[in-house]
Amino acid sequence: MTISAGSEGAYAGLSINRQDREFIVADDKLKKTSVTLNGGFKMDKFSLDGSVTYINRSINTTNPDLYSNLLQSSPEVPITAFKDSPHPYAWTLFYQNPYWTIQNVRNTSKTDILNGTVSLGYKINDHISLTNTGTAQITSTDVLNYNNGYIAANARPRITYANRSTAPRSITSTMSQSNAVNRYFYNDLMANFNYDLTQDINLKATLGYNVQRTESKTTSVGGNGIKIPGVYQYWNLTNLTNPYNLNNKRFVDNRYAFLRMLTYHTKIIYL
């Protein structure tokens, strides 16, 4: 949905977009909502333009190894024969049941993006003008990956070999979670000069100051052995991964710059 309005000295617009998408694999989905608002006006010596965009996106997918397991399937056994099986193994003990993978191995991510730009201008006179442009982008991401695991001894019906030996190997449950926030700020302050030095020579000059700041923060936890099924929290893990083996970092970067530019224009008359 898009709405816009305007006049000679002002304008405004609003755009809303919603996307729901399903993929080839069942339960793999993408949901995305974006909202954009922009506007501006001119009044006497002042001018203002700006826009802000908010995006919310969530993705839920399974393990891409699902495709490799399908390639190893038996041609004489239909895939759907294992749809209601509680076991992770299908045709052999070396390749997993794709239906079990879809239900028990999930990769999810939720992302929020806020992006805004504002430009303010002021015309001092016919020769001098000032402009200030600022941009900010803030991105927040929450990632959760888990494997519910499989305990062969507790599975019903229980699988045993023909000689009643040990059941198929178990799969250790795992979970990892990561939260990241990234911020980026950019600002330009410019002074523009435009003078006719003579009838044939024009001088244009720009003086500017620029500042940029980047901030990044990531916090990750993970481990194996989910105690309570379906509860994906670090306190519900039997063995936590050492933090130094995960992506936990802080980063700040500041940059400053000054700008000076001179341009001469000369009128050339050919006889």
Side-chain angles (χ1 to χ4, degrees), residues 146-270:
Y146 64 86
N147 183 328
N148 286 326
Y150 170 76
I151 302 176
N154 296 339
R156 295 294 183 272
R158 186 174 180 181
I159 297 179
T160 58
Y161 296 127
N163 60 1
R164 302 291 181 177
S165 61
T166 307
R169 67 185 184 278
S170 298
I171 298 175
T172 302
S173 57
T174 60
M175 188 213 79
S176 63
Q177 185 174 9
S178 176
N179 302 97
V181 177
N182 296 285
R183 301 183 182 93
Y184 176 72
F185 304 97
Y186 180 98
N187 191 84
D188 272 332
L189 177 61
M190 298 288 184
N192 302 293
F193 304 88
N194 188 347
Y195 284 93
D196 290 327
L197 301 180
T198 67
Q199 185 177 358
D200 300 325
I201 300 176
N202 174 265
L203 170 66
K204 292 183 178 180
T206 299
L207 298 177
Y209 172 71
N210 170 263
V211 57
Q212 300 179 51
R213 180 178 176 87
T214 302
E215 302 175 2
S216 178
K217 179 177 68 173
T218 303
T219 303
S220 300
V221 295
N224 59 60
I226 299 175
K227 303 174 186 177
I228 304 174
V231 179
Y232 306 110
Q233 300 289 341
Y234 74 93
W235 51 261
N236 193 38
L237 294 172
T238 303
N239 301 301
L240 287 172
T241 303
N242 289 326
Y244 58 78
N245 289 329
L246 299 172
N247 183 12
N248 291 284
K249 64 179 181 179
R250 303 290 186 273
F251 174 80
V252 176
D253 179 57
N254 292 309
R255 300 186 181 190
Y256 307 93
F258 294 91
L259 171 68
R260 181 184 64 182
M261 183 172 63
L262 299 175
T263 304
Y264 291 92
H265 295 275
T266 304
K267 183 188 297 183
I268 300 177
I269 301 177
Y270 295 92

Side-chain angles (χ1 to χ4, degrees), residues 13-29:
L14 173 66
S15 178
I16 302 175
N17 180 274
R18 171 69 180 186
Q19 179 184 7
D20 289 86
R21 180 179 176 183
E22 295 182 351
F23 300 100
I24 296 176
V25 178
D27 298 333
D28 284 10
K29 297 179 181 180

Side-chain angles (χ1 to χ4, degrees), residues 115-130:
N115 192 355
T117 300
V118 176
S119 180
L120 177 64
Y122 179 71
K123 187 175 181 181
I124 298 177
N125 52 43
D126 292 338
H127 305 288
I128 304 174
S129 63
L130 301 175

